[in-house]
């Protein structure tokens, strides 16, 4: 007979709070079997599913996405339409992630310029920061803002 794990054991092994495990059961994302006393009993497959959920959450998937797109019960046969649907979803998620990475790279560059400006504050470094801020603003709004240079720099008013 396969080893079964209590909610306490699963919580300790995987570092998932018991309330979270109960919530996953309530929403049907991982549904362990029940003993005659209604205690949850988790199989090794349930633990693998829970590890996959943790990994997907680390990859910024919401529980709604995880529950809606991934079938955690063992498939008896591979459904090509399901596989295609999940592959398309993952492609879209990858594109979204790349967009976030590009955004975070821009934020990192902005922070570098701001730190450098503050460490060696002078008119030239302040101007570089202002130019970089305007570039980011244009990227955000995809057009030239209707603010004149003097207003944006804040030094001419």
């Amino acid at each position: 007979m396969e080893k079964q794990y209590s909610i306490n054991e699963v919580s300790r092994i995987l570092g998932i709070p018991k309330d979270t495990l109960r919530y996953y059961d309530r929403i049907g994302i991982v549904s362990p079997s029940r003993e005659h006393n209604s205690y949850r009993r988790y199989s090794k497959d349930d633990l693998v599913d829970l590890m996959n959920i943790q990994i997907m959450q680390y990859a910024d998937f919401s529980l709604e996405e995880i529950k809606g797109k991934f079938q955690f019960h063992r498939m008896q046969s591979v459904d090509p339409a399901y596989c295609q649907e999940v592959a398309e979803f993952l492609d879209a998620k990858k594109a979204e992630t790349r967009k976030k990475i590009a955004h975070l790279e821009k934020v990192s560059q902005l922070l570098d310029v701001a730190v450098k400006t503050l460490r060696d504050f002078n008119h030239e470094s302040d101007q570089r920061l202002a130019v970089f801020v305007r570039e980011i603003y244009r990227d955000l709004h995809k057009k030239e803002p209707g603010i004149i240079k003097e207003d944006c720099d804040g030094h001419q008013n």
Side-chain angles (χ1 to χ4, degrees):
M1 181 162 180
E2 179 184 358
K3 172 148 172 69
Q4 298 282 299
Y5 300 86
S6 70
I7 194 167
N8 286 330
E9 291 172 312
V10 173
S11 178
R12 184 180 42 76
I13 291 167
L14 298 179
I16 300 173
K18 291 183 279 187
D19 286 342
T20 301
L21 294 169
R22 289 183 192 103
Y23 178 70
Y24 289 171
D25 187 12
R26 193 167 53 252
I27 66 171
I29 198 165
V30 173
S31 299
S33 62
R34 300 285 184 137
E35 289 185 335
H36 63 280
N37 57 10
S38 296
Y39 288 173
R40 291 170 179 84
R41 300 304 293 176
Y42 293 85
S43 68
K44 287 182 181 182
D45 287 341
D46 292 331
L47 269 65
V48 170
D49 290 346
L50 289 164
M51 286 185 272
N52 284 326
I53 291 167
Q54 286 181 305
I55 290 166
M56 285 186 277
Q57 285 182 310
Y58 176 79
D60 209 25
F61 287 86
S62 70
L63 282 178
E64 186 176 301
E65 289 171 325
I66 294 167
K67 184 178 180 202
K69 294 292 179 192
F70 300 96
Q71 298 174 359
F72 284 105
H73 56 280
R74 307 295 169 236
M75 294 171 49
Q76 298 302 317
S77 63
V78 176
D79 177 7
Y82 170 76
C83 291
Q84 183 63 32
E85 177 185 337
V86 173
E88 289 171 9
F89 171 75
L90 292 175
D91 277 339
K93 191 70 171 180
K94 185 173 88 175
E96 179 184 318
T97 299
R98 289 190 187 281
K99 193 173 183 180
K100 286 179 184 178
I101 290 168
H103 169 77
L104 291 173
E105 285 292 336
K106 202 69 148 170
V107 168
S108 179
Q109 291 171 4
L110 174 61
L111 294 174
D112 286 343
V113 171
V115 166
K116 186 173 182 179
T117 298
L118 292 170
R119 288 209 169 116
D120 182 30
F121 191 81
N122 58 52
H123 182 69
E124 184 180 315
S125 63
D126 189 36
Q127 290 301 311
R128 273 194 304 272
L129 179 58
V131 167
F132 196 72
V133 167
R134 282 193 298 275
E135 287 174 12
I136 289 174
Y137 185 84
R138 277 193 299 272
D139 286 348
L140 287 174
H141 295 281
K142 303 293 185 207
K143 62 181 178 182
E144 184 66 35
I147 301 172
I148 59 173
K149 181 180 185 304
E150 291 78 17
D151 287 344
C152 195
D153 289 343
H155 302 297
Q156 309 290 325
N157 294 343

